[in-house]
């Protein structure tokens, strides 16, 4: 049982596939709509109490880090003492 779907050439919108996408979107919305009053508060509670926020690196923490690499300015070569004995 094969249903022929038009092949997209890439130049114009594929009407059949676009319509299929919109129909599937509406079906998913209708299915998920009754679950929203449960999902939204559950997500908020999970974010507030259970989700660990990763620490965000800031310039201040980088600047005050004792272990960070600190390049040194080049030191001028000291002239060697030549003793004329």
């Amino acid at each position: 049982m094969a249903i022929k779907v038009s092949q997209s050439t890439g130049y114009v919108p594929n009407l059949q596939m676009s319509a299929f996408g919109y129909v599937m979107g509406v079906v998913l919305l209708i299915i998920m709509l009754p679950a929203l009053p449960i999902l939204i508060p559950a997500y908020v509670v999970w974010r507030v109490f259970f989700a660990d926020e990763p620490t965000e690196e800031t310039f201040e923490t980088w600047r005050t880090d004792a272990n960070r690499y600190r390049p040194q300015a080049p030191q001028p070569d000291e002239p060697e003492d030549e003793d004329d004995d």
Side-chain angles (χ1 to χ4, degrees), residues 5-6 8 12-22:
V5 177
S6 64
S8 177
V12 294
N14 189 335
L15 183 63
Q16 286 179 325
M17 292 306 288
S18 297
F20 178 74
Y22 284 116

Side-chain angles (χ1 to χ4, degrees), residues 15-33:
L15 183 63
Q16 286 179 325
M17 292 306 288
S18 297
F20 178 74
Y22 284 116
V23 169
M24 288 305 295
V26 169
V27 168
L28 288 175
L29 178 68
I30 291 171
I31 290 172
M32 294 298 289
L33 205 54

Side-chain angles (χ1 to χ4, degrees), residues 15 25 35 37 46 49 52 56 62-63 77 81-83:
L15 183 63
W46 177 75
F49 294 109
D52 291 331
E56 205 172 291
W62 173 81
R63 190 177 65 81
D77 292 333
D81 291 335
E82 294 182 13
D83 291 334

Side-chain angles (χ1 to χ4, degrees), residues 13-82:
N14 189 335
L15 183 63
Q16 286 179 325
M17 292 306 288
S18 297
F20 178 74
Y22 284 116
V23 169
M24 288 305 295
V26 169
V27 168
L28 288 175
L29 178 68
I30 291 171
I31 290 172
M32 294 298 289
L33 205 54
L36 285 180
I38 298 168
L39 292 176
I40 291 174
Y43 175 75
V44 170
V45 167
W46 177 75
R47 289 288 294 174
V48 170
F49 294 109
F50 300 108
D52 291 331
E53 290 290 327
T55 55
E56 205 172 291
E57 290 294 326
T58 61
F59 176 72
E60 182 65 24
T61 56
W62 173 81
R63 190 177 65 81
T64 58
D65 183 15
N67 295 325
R68 75 176 170 94
Y69 173 71
R70 291 177 169 83
Q72 300 292 327
Q75 301 296 325
D77 292 333
E78 294 181 10
E80 294 181 13
D81 291 335
E82 294 182 13

